[in-house]
Amino acid sequence: MRYKAVISYDGSNFSGYQIQPKQRTVQGEVEKALSKMHKGLRITVHASGRTDRGVHALGQVLHFDSDLQIPLDNWKRALTAILPDDINVKRIEPVKDDFHARYDVIEKEYRYELLVDDEPNIFLRHYKHHVAPPINVKAMQEACKYLIGTHDFSSFCAAKATVKGDKIRTVYAASFLEKNTGLIFRIAGSGFLYNMVRIIVGTLVDIGYGKLKPEDMKKIIEKKERKAASKTAPPQGLYLYQVKYDE
Amino acid sequence: MRYKAVISYDGSNFSGYQIQPKQRTVQGEVEKALSKMHKGLRITVHASGRTDRGVHALGQVLHFDSDLQIPLDNWKRALTAILPDDINVKRIEPVKDDFHARYDVIEKEYRYELLVDDEPNIFLRHYKHHVAPPINVKAMQEACKYLIGTHDFSSFCAAKATVKGDKIRTVYAASFLEKNTGLIFRIAGSGFLYNMVRIIVGTLVDIGYGKLKPEDMKKIIEKKERKAASKTAPPQGLYLYQVKYDE
Protein backbone atom coordinates (compact mmCIF):
# COMPACT_ATOMS: atom_id res chain seq x y z
CA MET A 1 0.00 0.00 0.00
CA ARG A 2 1.32 3.42 -0.94
CA TYR A 3 0.92 6.34 1.48
CA LYS A 4 1.15 10.09 1.00
CA ALA A 5 2.24 12.11 4.04
CA VAL A 6 2.21 15.88 4.48
CA ILE A 7 4.80 16.98 7.02
CA SER A 8 6.12 20.21 8.47
CA TYR A 9 9.58 20.66 9.91
CA ASP A 10 11.75 23.26 11.55
CA GLY A 11 14.89 23.17 9.40
CA SER A 12 17.10 24.86 12.03
CA ASN A 13 18.72 21.70 13.33
CA PHE A 14 18.83 19.64 10.12
CA SER A 15 21.56 19.38 7.49
CA GLY A 16 18.80 19.74 4.94
CA TYR A 17 16.12 17.31 3.81
CA GLN A 18 18.11 14.70 1.93
CA ILE A 19 19.67 11.77 3.75
CA GLN A 20 23.47 11.94 4.20
CA PRO A 21 25.81 9.76 6.22
CA LYS A 22 26.51 11.01 9.75
CA GLN A 23 24.28 14.07 9.33
CA ARG A 24 20.94 14.75 10.95
CA THR A 25 18.52 15.07 8.03
CA VAL A 26 14.73 15.14 7.69
CA GLN A 27 14.68 12.12 5.37
CA GLY A 28 17.00 10.25 7.73
CA GLU A 29 14.73 10.90 10.72
CA VAL A 30 11.55 9.97 8.84
CA GLU A 31 13.07 6.74 7.48
CA LYS A 32 14.39 5.87 10.94
CA ALA A 33 10.92 6.39 12.45
CA LEU A 34 9.24 4.31 9.73
CA SER A 35 11.83 1.58 10.15
CA LYS A 36 10.98 1.43 13.89
CA MET A 37 7.29 1.06 13.02
CA HIS A 38 8.18 -1.78 10.59
CA LYS A 39 10.35 -3.82 12.94
CA GLY A 40 13.62 -2.67 11.44
CA LEU A 41 12.62 -2.99 7.79
CA ARG A 42 14.15 -0.25 5.64
CA ILE A 43 11.42 2.02 4.19
CA THR A 44 12.54 4.46 1.49
CA VAL A 45 10.77 7.81 1.47
CA HIS A 46 10.33 9.98 -1.63
CA ALA A 47 9.77 13.72 -1.20
CA SER A 48 8.37 16.40 -3.53
CA GLY A 49 11.92 17.78 -3.57
CA ARG A 50 14.87 18.57 -1.31
CA THR A 51 15.18 21.52 0.98
CA ASP A 52 18.54 22.97 2.01
CA ARG A 53 20.13 23.23 5.43
CA GLY A 54 18.12 25.69 7.56
CA VAL A 55 15.11 25.78 5.22
CA HIS A 56 11.73 24.97 6.78
CA ALA A 57 8.64 23.22 5.50
CA LEU A 58 4.99 23.73 6.31
CA GLY A 59 3.70 21.31 3.68
CA GLN A 60 6.42 18.99 2.41
CA VAL A 61 4.91 15.91 0.73
CA LEU A 62 6.33 12.39 0.93
CA HIS A 63 5.33 8.99 -0.33
CA PHE A 64 6.37 5.52 0.80
CA ASP A 65 5.10 1.96 0.63
CA SER A 66 4.05 -0.08 3.64
CA ASP A 67 2.32 -3.37 4.40
CA LEU A 68 1.59 -2.36 7.97
CA GLN A 69 -1.92 -3.36 9.07
CA ILE A 70 -2.98 -0.48 11.31
CA PRO A 71 -6.09 1.72 11.13
CA LEU A 72 -5.53 4.93 9.16
CA ASP A 73 -6.30 7.07 12.23
CA ASN A 74 -3.38 5.49 14.07
CA TRP A 75 -0.83 6.18 11.35
CA LYS A 76 -0.47 9.89 12.04
CA ARG A 77 -0.38 9.44 15.81
CA ALA A 78 2.10 6.55 15.74
CA LEU A 79 4.52 8.25 13.34
CA THR A 80 4.32 11.62 15.15
CA ALA A 81 5.05 9.92 18.47
CA ILE A 82 8.28 8.37 17.12
CA LEU A 83 9.47 11.40 15.15
CA PRO A 84 11.63 14.05 16.88
CA ASP A 85 9.84 17.21 18.00
CA ASP A 86 11.02 19.30 15.06
CA ILE A 87 9.08 17.18 12.53
CA ASN A 88 5.30 17.05 12.56
CA VAL A 89 2.96 14.85 10.52
CA LYS A 90 0.04 16.95 9.33
CA ARG A 91 -1.82 14.33 7.27
CA ILE A 92 -1.28 10.80 6.08
CA GLU A 93 -3.48 8.91 3.64
CA PRO A 94 -3.41 5.95 1.26
CA VAL A 95 -2.92 6.85 -2.41
CA LYS A 96 -2.89 5.07 -5.75
CA ASP A 97 0.05 2.72 -6.32
CA ASP A 98 1.53 4.95 -9.00
CA PHE A 99 1.42 8.24 -7.04
CA HIS A 100 4.86 9.84 -6.93
CA ALA A 101 5.61 12.74 -4.57
CA ARG A 102 8.18 14.25 -6.95
CA TYR A 103 7.11 13.36 -10.50
CA ASP A 104 3.42 14.16 -10.01
CA VAL A 105 3.83 17.69 -8.63
CA ILE A 106 1.79 20.24 -10.56
CA GLU A 107 2.46 23.28 -8.39
CA LYS A 108 4.66 24.30 -5.50
CA GLU A 109 4.35 27.31 -3.25
CA TYR A 110 7.19 28.76 -1.21
CA ARG A 111 7.08 31.57 1.32
CA TYR A 112 9.95 33.73 2.43
CA GLU A 113 9.63 35.66 5.68
CA LEU A 114 11.39 38.96 6.22
CA LEU A 115 11.59 40.87 9.51
CA VAL A 116 11.63 44.60 8.76
CA ASP A 117 12.85 46.17 11.96
CA ASP A 118 15.65 48.40 13.24
CA GLU A 119 17.06 45.63 15.39
CA PRO A 120 17.33 41.90 14.68
CA ASN A 121 15.19 39.71 16.92
CA ILE A 122 17.11 36.83 18.48
CA PHE A 123 13.93 34.78 18.92
CA LEU A 124 13.26 34.93 15.17
CA ARG A 125 16.85 34.43 13.98
CA HIS A 126 16.11 30.92 12.65
CA TYR A 127 12.71 31.86 11.23
CA LYS A 128 12.91 35.23 9.47
CA HIS A 129 15.56 37.11 7.52
CA HIS A 130 16.17 40.49 9.12
CA VAL A 131 16.29 43.59 6.91
CA ALA A 132 16.55 47.11 8.30
CA PRO A 133 14.06 49.77 7.24
CA PRO A 134 13.45 51.81 5.16
CA ILE A 135 12.69 49.27 2.43
CA ASN A 136 10.42 50.15 -0.49
CA VAL A 137 7.75 47.46 -0.46
CA LYS A 138 5.89 49.07 -3.36
CA ALA A 139 8.95 48.72 -5.59
CA MET A 140 9.40 45.07 -4.53
CA GLN A 141 5.71 44.42 -5.17
CA GLU A 142 6.03 45.98 -8.63
CA ALA A 143 9.08 43.87 -9.47
CA CYS A 144 7.10 40.71 -8.68
CA LYS A 145 4.97 41.08 -11.79
CA TYR A 146 7.99 40.45 -14.04
CA LEU A 147 8.44 37.05 -12.43
CA ILE A 148 4.96 35.84 -13.31
CA GLY A 149 4.69 33.72 -16.44
CA THR A 150 6.87 31.22 -18.27
CA HIS A 151 10.52 32.27 -18.40
CA ASP A 152 14.00 30.83 -18.61
CA PHE A 153 15.08 31.38 -14.99
CA SER A 154 18.82 30.69 -15.52
CA SER A 155 19.66 33.98 -13.77
CA PHE A 156 18.05 32.60 -10.62
CA CYS A 157 19.68 29.18 -10.56
CA ALA A 158 22.70 28.53 -8.32
CA ALA A 159 25.82 28.39 -10.51
CA LYS A 160 26.85 25.07 -8.98
CA ALA A 161 23.51 23.38 -9.74
CA THR A 162 23.39 20.52 -12.21
CA VAL A 163 19.95 20.78 -13.76
CA LYS A 164 18.63 18.06 -16.02
CA GLY A 165 16.77 19.59 -18.96
CA ASP A 166 16.03 23.27 -19.42
CA LYS A 167 15.68 26.08 -16.91
CA ILE A 168 12.28 27.18 -18.14
CA ARG A 169 9.71 27.33 -15.36
CA THR A 170 6.28 28.91 -14.95
CA VAL A 171 5.57 31.22 -12.03
CA TYR A 172 1.83 31.42 -11.37
CA ALA A 173 1.85 33.97 -8.57
CA ALA A 174 4.40 36.17 -6.78
CA SER A 175 3.59 38.89 -4.28
CA PHE A 176 4.30 40.38 -0.89
CA LEU A 177 2.02 40.33 2.11
CA GLU A 178 2.60 42.99 4.79
CA LYS A 179 2.00 42.09 8.43
CA ASN A 180 3.24 44.59 11.04
CA THR A 181 7.02 44.18 11.03
CA GLY A 182 6.68 41.04 8.90
CA LEU A 183 6.88 40.93 5.15
CA ILE A 184 5.99 37.63 3.52
CA PHE A 185 6.95 36.85 -0.07
CA ARG A 186 4.71 34.21 -1.63
CA ILE A 187 5.65 32.50 -4.86
CA ALA A 188 3.86 29.64 -6.59
CA GLY A 189 5.05 27.89 -9.71
CA SER A 190 5.31 24.73 -11.75
CA GLY A 191 8.70 24.01 -10.25
CA PHE A 192 11.76 25.80 -8.95
CA LEU A 193 15.46 25.66 -9.79
CA TYR A 194 18.14 25.19 -7.15
CA ASN A 195 18.18 28.30 -4.87
CA MET A 196 15.70 30.03 -7.20
CA VAL A 197 13.47 31.48 -4.49
CA ARG A 198 16.40 32.66 -2.38
CA ILE A 199 18.11 34.37 -5.35
CA ILE A 200 14.81 36.02 -6.31
CA VAL A 201 14.41 37.27 -2.71
CA GLY A 202 18.00 38.57 -2.65
CA THR A 203 17.24 40.50 -5.85
CA LEU A 204 13.91 41.81 -4.54
CA VAL A 205 15.62 43.09 -1.37
CA ASP A 206 18.13 45.00 -3.53
CA ILE A 207 15.13 46.50 -5.35
CA GLY A 208 13.56 47.40 -1.99
CA TYR A 209 16.76 49.21 -1.02
CA GLY A 210 16.88 51.10 -4.34
CA LYS A 211 20.08 49.40 -5.54
CA LEU A 212 18.06 48.09 -8.47
CA LYS A 213 14.85 49.34 -10.09
CA PRO A 214 11.67 47.22 -10.32
CA GLU A 215 12.05 47.00 -14.10
CA ASP A 216 15.60 45.65 -13.70
CA MET A 217 13.93 42.36 -12.77
CA LYS A 218 12.88 41.97 -16.41
CA LYS A 219 16.44 42.66 -17.65
CA ILE A 220 17.93 40.22 -15.16
CA ILE A 221 15.60 37.44 -16.33
CA GLU A 222 16.53 38.19 -19.96
CA LYS A 223 20.27 37.96 -19.27
CA LYS A 224 19.96 34.28 -18.36
CA GLU A 225 23.10 34.22 -16.26
CA ARG A 226 23.48 33.84 -12.50
CA LYS A 227 25.74 36.87 -12.10
CA ALA A 228 23.01 39.18 -13.40
CA ALA A 229 20.95 38.62 -10.25
CA SER A 230 21.75 39.58 -6.64
CA LYS A 231 23.09 37.55 -3.74
CA THR A 232 21.23 34.49 -2.48
CA ALA A 233 19.09 35.35 0.57
CA PRO A 234 19.84 33.21 3.65
CA PRO A 235 17.95 29.93 4.21
CA GLN A 236 16.22 30.70 7.51
CA GLY A 237 13.42 32.81 5.99
CA LEU A 238 12.39 30.12 3.48
CA TYR A 239 9.42 27.77 3.89
CA LEU A 240 8.20 25.11 1.46
CA TYR A 241 4.57 26.05 1.98
CA GLN A 242 2.46 23.77 -0.16
CA VAL A 243 2.75 21.14 -2.90
CA LYS A 244 -0.16 20.47 -5.20
CA TYR A 245 -0.99 17.33 -7.21
CA ASP A 246 -3.58 16.58 -9.85
CA GLU A 247 -5.83 14.47 -7.67
CA MET B 1 33.64 52.26 36.22
CA ARG B 2 30.50 50.22 36.85
CA TYR B 3 28.20 49.41 33.94
CA LYS B 4 24.59 48.25 33.81
CA ALA B 5 23.60 46.16 30.78
CA VAL B 6 20.13 45.08 29.73
CA ILE B 7 20.24 41.90 27.65
CA SER B 8 17.81 39.51 26.01
CA TYR B 9 18.53 35.87 25.29
CA ASP B 10 16.93 32.84 23.76
CA GLY B 11 17.30 30.24 26.51
CA SER B 12 16.79 27.25 24.18
CA ASN B 13 20.45 26.36 23.81
CA PHE B 14 21.72 27.35 27.25
CA SER B 15 22.04 25.28 30.42
CA GLY B 16 20.48 28.22 32.23
CA TYR B 17 21.91 31.61 33.13
CA GLN B 18 24.43 30.75 35.81
CA ILE B 19 27.98 29.77 34.89
CA GLN B 20 28.79 26.06 35.26
CA PRO B 21 31.86 24.09 34.20
CA LYS B 22 31.60 22.48 30.74
CA GLN B 23 28.10 23.85 30.15
CA ARG B 24 27.02 26.55 27.74
CA THR B 25 25.52 29.26 29.98
CA VAL B 26 24.49 32.88 29.47
CA GLN B 27 26.82 34.13 32.20
CA GLY B 28 29.64 32.05 30.75
CA GLU B 29 29.17 33.54 27.28
CA VAL B 30 28.88 37.12 28.55
CA GLU B 31 31.99 36.79 30.74
CA LYS B 32 33.90 35.20 27.84
CA ALA B 33 32.92 38.10 25.55
CA LEU B 34 33.88 40.72 28.15
CA SER B 35 37.16 38.93 28.77
CA LYS B 36 37.94 39.17 25.03
CA MET B 37 37.23 42.90 25.14
CA HIS B 38 39.58 43.24 28.14
CA LYS B 39 42.56 41.36 26.70
CA GLY B 40 41.91 38.20 28.64
CA LEU B 41 41.16 39.83 31.99
CA ARG B 42 38.45 37.99 33.93
CA ILE B 43 35.34 40.18 34.33
CA THR B 44 32.71 38.90 36.76
CA VAL B 45 29.13 39.67 35.83
CA HIS B 46 26.28 40.00 38.34
CA ALA B 47 22.70 39.43 37.19
CA SER B 48 19.33 40.40 38.67
CA GLY B 49 18.86 36.67 39.23
CA ARG B 50 19.30 33.30 37.56
CA THR B 51 17.06 31.82 34.94
CA ASP B 52 16.72 28.07 34.44
CA ARG B 53 17.61 25.93 31.44
CA GLY B 54 15.26 26.79 28.56
CA VAL B 55 13.96 30.02 30.14
CA HIS B 56 14.26 33.18 28.03
CA ALA B 57 14.92 36.80 28.89
CA LEU B 58 13.76 39.99 27.25
CA GLY B 59 15.16 42.28 29.90
CA GLN B 60 17.73 40.58 32.10
CA VAL B 61 19.91 43.13 33.89
CA LEU B 62 23.62 42.71 34.62
CA HIS B 63 26.33 44.80 36.18
CA PHE B 64 30.09 44.59 35.91
CA ASP B 65 33.14 46.78 36.40
CA SER B 66 35.49 47.83 33.64
CA ASP B 67 38.35 50.25 33.08
CA LEU B 68 38.03 50.07 29.31
CA GLN B 69 38.38 53.48 27.68
CA ILE B 70 35.90 53.33 24.82
CA PRO B 71 33.05 55.70 23.93
CA LEU B 72 29.71 54.62 25.40
CA ASP B 73 28.19 54.26 21.92
CA ASN B 74 30.76 51.61 21.06
CA TRP B 75 30.10 49.46 24.10
CA LYS B 76 26.83 48.00 22.88
CA ARG B 77 28.11 47.42 19.35
CA ALA B 78 31.41 45.87 20.46
CA LEU B 79 29.85 43.51 22.98
CA THR B 80 27.01 42.48 20.64
CA ALA B 81 29.51 41.69 17.89
CA ILE B 82 31.43 39.28 20.15
CA LEU B 83 28.42 37.65 21.79
CA PRO B 84 26.79 34.59 20.15
CA ASP B 85 23.63 35.23 18.13
CA ASP B 86 21.29 34.04 20.88
CA ILE B 87 22.27 36.87 23.25
CA ASN B 88 21.52 40.48 22.43
CA VAL B 89 22.60 43.64 24.25
CA LYS B 90 19.66 46.03 24.40
CA ARG B 91 21.27 48.84 26.43
CA ILE B 92 24.47 49.50 28.28
CA GLU B 93 25.20 52.51 30.48
CA PRO B 94 27.50 53.64 33.27
CA VAL B 95 25.95 53.55 36.75
CA LYS B 96 26.92 54.56 40.26
CA ASP B 97 29.71 52.51 41.84
CA ASP B 98 27.36 50.95 44.37
CA PHE B 99 24.65 49.82 41.91
CA HIS B 100 23.97 46.11 42.30
CA ALA B 101 21.92 44.22 39.69
CA ARG B 102 20.58 41.77 42.26
CA TYR B 103 20.38 43.60 45.60
CA ASP B 104 18.87 46.79 44.20
CA VAL B 105 15.92 45.21 42.37
CA ILE B 106 12.61 46.78 43.37
CA GLU B 107 10.35 44.95 40.90
CA LYS B 108 10.55 42.10 38.42
CA GLU B 109 8.11 41.20 35.68
CA TYR B 110 7.85 37.77 34.10
CA ARG B 111 5.73 36.69 31.18
CA TYR B 112 4.62 33.19 30.35
CA GLU B 113 3.42 32.42 26.84
CA LEU B 114 0.82 29.75 26.15
CA LEU B 115 -0.22 28.50 22.72
CA VAL B 116 -3.90 27.56 22.81
CA ASP B 117 -4.41 25.44 19.73
CA ASP B 118 -5.58 21.96 18.75
CA GLU B 119 -2.15 21.02 17.46
CA PRO B 120 1.28 21.91 18.83
CA ASN B 121 3.35 24.18 16.58
CA ILE B 122 6.87 22.88 15.98
CA PHE B 123 8.16 26.40 15.22
CA LEU B 124 7.05 27.61 18.64
CA ARG B 125 8.11 24.55 20.65
CA HIS B 126 10.96 26.42 22.35
CA TYR B 127 8.94 29.63 22.82
CA LYS B 128 5.43 28.80 23.99
CA HIS B 129 3.85 26.09 26.13
CA HIS B 130 1.13 24.33 24.15
CA VAL B 131 -2.26 23.74 25.78
CA ALA B 132 -5.22 22.28 23.90
CA PRO B 133 -8.57 24.09 23.93
CA PRO B 134 -11.08 24.46 25.46
CA ILE B 135 -9.46 26.33 28.34
CA ASN B 136 -11.47 28.72 30.50
CA VAL B 137 -9.54 31.98 30.35
CA LYS B 138 -12.13 33.79 32.46
CA ALA B 139 -11.58 31.34 35.34
CA MET B 140 -7.79 31.74 35.00
CA GLN B 141 -8.19 35.52 34.95
CA GLU B 142 -10.34 35.38 38.06
CA ALA B 143 -7.81 33.19 39.90
CA CYS B 144 -5.10 35.80 39.24
CA LYS B 145 -6.64 38.25 41.71
CA TYR B 146 -5.83 35.92 44.65
CA LEU B 147 -2.15 36.16 43.76
CA ILE B 148 -2.02 39.94 44.05
CA GLY B 149 -0.78 41.29 47.38
CA THR B 150 1.72 40.21 50.01
CA HIS B 151 1.57 36.48 50.75
CA ASP B 152 3.70 33.61 51.93
CA PHE B 153 4.22 31.85 48.60
CA SER B 154 5.64 28.59 50.04
CA SER B 155 3.11 26.60 47.98
CA PHE B 156 4.72 27.99 44.83
CA CYS B 157 8.36 27.35 45.70
CA ALA B 158 10.18 24.30 44.31
CA ALA B 159 10.57 21.75 47.13
CA LYS B 160 14.31 21.44 46.43
CA ALA B 161 14.93 25.18 46.74
CA THR B 162 17.09 26.50 49.56
CA VAL B 163 15.69 29.94 50.28
CA LYS B 164 17.45 32.32 52.60
CA GLY B 165 14.91 34.11 54.77
CA ASP B 166 11.17 33.89 54.43
CA LYS B 167 8.96 33.05 51.48
CA ILE B 168 6.85 36.19 51.72
CA ARG B 169 6.71 38.10 48.48
CA THR B 170 4.49 40.86 47.08
CA VAL B 171 2.77 40.42 43.73
CA TYR B 172 1.84 43.80 42.25
CA ALA B 173 0.05 42.61 39.14
CA ALA B 174 -1.03 39.30 37.61
CA SER B 175 -3.26 38.90 34.56
CA PHE B 176 -3.75 37.25 31.20
CA LEU B 177 -3.59 38.95 27.83
CA GLU B 178 -5.39 37.21 24.94
CA LYS B 179 -3.89 37.44 21.47
CA ASN B 180 -5.38 35.13 18.80
CA THR B 181 -4.09 31.67 19.70
CA GLY B 182 -1.67 33.20 22.19
CA LEU B 183 -2.33 33.67 25.87
CA ILE B 184 0.21 35.69 27.81
CA PHE B 185 0.41 35.58 31.58
CA ARG B 186 2.02 38.68 33.05
CA ILE B 187 3.15 38.81 36.64
CA ALA B 188 5.06 41.58 38.41
CA GLY B 189 6.30 41.44 41.96
CA SER B 190 8.92 42.40 44.52
CA GLY B 191 10.71 39.13 43.93
CA PHE B 192 10.04 35.52 43.02
CA LEU B 193 10.87 32.21 44.66
CA TYR B 194 12.51 29.36 42.76
CA ASN B 195 10.09 28.10 40.07
CA MET B 196 7.35 30.35 41.48
CA VAL B 197 6.03 31.62 38.14
CA ARG B 198 6.08 28.16 36.54
CA ILE B 199 4.22 26.57 39.49
CA ILE B 200 1.67 29.40 39.42
CA VAL B 201 1.16 28.84 35.66
CA GLY B 202 0.80 25.08 36.16
CA THR B 203 -1.90 25.79 38.76
CA LEU B 204 -3.65 28.37 36.55
CA VAL B 205 -3.75 25.88 33.66
CA ASP B 206 -5.44 23.34 35.96
CA ILE B 207 -7.97 26.05 36.82
CA GLY B 208 -8.46 26.74 33.09
CA TYR B 209 -9.20 23.06 32.54
CA GLY B 210 -11.69 22.96 35.43
CA LYS B 211 -9.59 20.59 37.56
CA LEU B 212 -9.47 23.36 40.16
CA LYS B 213 -11.76 26.33 40.80
CA PRO B 214 -10.55 29.96 40.72
CA GLU B 215 -11.09 30.28 44.49
CA ASP B 216 -8.87 27.22 45.07
CA MET B 217 -5.95 29.56 44.37
CA LYS B 218 -6.64 31.25 47.71
CA LYS B 219 -6.71 27.91 49.55
CA ILE B 220 -3.51 26.75 47.87
CA ILE B 221 -1.69 29.91 48.97
CA GLU B 222 -2.97 29.43 52.54
CA LYS B 223 -1.72 25.82 52.72
CA LYS B 224 1.91 26.98 52.40
CA GLU B 225 3.15 23.69 51.05
CA ARG B 226 4.41 22.80 47.60
CA LYS B 227 2.18 19.75 47.19
CA ALA B 228 -0.95 21.93 47.48
CA ALA B 229 -0.20 23.51 44.09
CA SER B 230 -0.13 21.90 40.63
CA LYS B 231 2.74 20.70 38.47
CA THR B 232 5.47 23.09 37.38
CA ALA B 233 4.81 24.39 33.85
CA PRO B 234 7.70 23.76 31.41
CA PRO B 235 10.47 26.36 31.02
CA GLN B 236 10.07 27.23 27.35
CA GLY B 237 7.07 29.58 27.85
CA LEU B 238 8.82 31.70 30.48
CA TYR B 239 10.44 35.08 29.84
CA LEU B 240 12.14 37.36 32.35
CA TYR B 241 10.50 40.46 30.91
CA GLN B 242 11.70 43.43 32.91
CA VAL B 243 13.64 44.34 36.04
CA LYS B 244 13.10 47.67 37.75
CA TYR B 245 15.43 49.64 40.00
CA ASP B 246 14.97 52.75 42.12
CA GLU B 247 16.88 55.10 39.85
Side-chain angles (χ1 to χ4, degrees), chain A residues 114 136-157 171 173-176 185-187 192 195-231 233:
Chain A
L114 296 169
N136 186 343
V137 181
K138 219 182 128 196
M140 294 161 83
Q141 199 72 271
E142 202 189 320
C144 284
K145 71 180 181 203
Y146 298 106
L147 295 165
I148 297 168
T150 304
H151 306 287
D152 182 323
F153 282 100
S154 298
S155 299
F156 301 97
C157 180
V171 169
S175 64
F176 280 93
F185 175 61
R186 304 188 292 184
I187 185 164
F192 291 87
N195 278 358
M196 180 167 151
V197 182
R198 288 167 56 192
I199 301 168
I200 286 174
V201 171
T203 306
L204 287 166
V205 167
D206 275 355
I207 290 167
Y209 281 143
K211 291 179 197 167
L212 293 169
K213 294 194 197 90
E215 52 275 24
D216 287 334
M217 186 60 95
K218 187 172 188 285
K219 293 176 199 160
I220 293 166
I221 295 172
E222 284 164 359
K223 281 203 177 151
K224 295 177 200 168
E225 50 178 16
R226 172 64 188 91
K227 68 177 185 191
S230 304
K231 275 198 292 187

Side-chain angles (χ1 to χ4, degrees), chain B residues 106-132:
Chain B
I106 57 165
E107 186 181 324
K108 269 187 178 180
E109 181 178 343
Y110 281 92
R111 297 205 167 183
Y112 194 97
E113 299 233 9
L114 296 169
L115 171 71
V116 185
D117 210 350
D118 290 319
E119 300 269 335
N121 179 327
I122 53 167
F123 298 99
L124 298 174
R125 71 195 187 286
H126 295 311
Y127 307 108
K128 295 191 184 205
H129 172 39
H130 171 246
V131 291

Side-chain angles (χ1 to χ4, degrees), chain A residues 36-134:
Chain A
K36 269 187 200 162
M37 286 179 69
H38 293 78
K39 300 179 179 174
L41 192 74
R42 169 87 200 268
I43 306 282
T44 303
V45 160
H46 299 268
S48 72
R50 307 171 192 176
T51 53
D52 275 348
R53 178 188 296 265
V55 173
H56 313 292
L58 288 164
Q60 170 69 289
V61 176
L62 315 172
H63 86 253
F64 58 88
D65 296 325
S66 165
D67 291 326
L68 216 62
Q69 299 294 329
I70 53 168
L72 186 58
D73 282 353
N74 292 3
W75 256 110
K76 181 182 158 178
R77 208 175 322 140
L79 190 53
T80 299
I82 303 171
L83 283 169
D85 69 357
D86 46 1
I87 305 179
N88 181 46
V89 181
K90 296 176 84 170
R91 280 195 305 282
I92 189 159
E93 63 196 24
V95 282
K96 280 185 283 182
D97 275 2
D98 62 349
F99 171 81
H100 197 289
R102 180 149 58 102
Y103 303 142
D104 296 353
V105 172
I106 57 165
E107 187 181 324
K108 270 187 178 180
E109 182 178 343
Y110 280 92
R111 297 203 169 185
Y112 195 98
E113 300 231 9
L114 296 169
L115 170 71
V116 185
D117 211 349
D118 290 318
E119 299 269 335
N121 179 326
I122 54 166
F123 297 99
L124 298 174
R125 71 196 188 285
H126 295 311
Y127 307 108
K128 295 190 184 205
H129 172 40
H130 171 248
V131 290

Side-chain angles (χ1 to χ4, degrees), chain B residues 45-117:
Chain B
V45 159
H46 299 267
S48 72
R50 306 172 194 177
T51 54
D52 274 349
R53 179 188 296 266
V55 172
H56 313 293
L58 288 164
Q60 171 69 289
V61 176
L62 316 172
H63 86 253
F64 58 88
D65 296 324
S66 165
D67 290 327
L68 215 62
Q69 298 295 329
I70 54 170
L72 187 58
D73 283 352
N74 292 2
W75 256 109
K76 181 183 158 179
R77 206 175 322 138
L79 190 53
T80 300
I82 303 171
L83 282 169
D85 69 358
D86 46 359
I87 306 179
N88 181 47
V89 181
K90 296 176 83 169
R91 279 195 305 281
I92 189 159
E93 63 195 25
V95 282
K96 280 185 284 183
D97 274 4
D98 62 349
F99 171 81
H100 197 289
R102 181 148 58 102
Y103 304 142
D104 296 353
V105 172
I106 57 165
E107 186 181 324
K108 269 187 178 180
E109 181 178 343
Y110 281 92
R111 297 205 167 183
Y112 194 97
E113 299 233 9
L114 296 169
L115 171 71
V116 185
D117 210 350

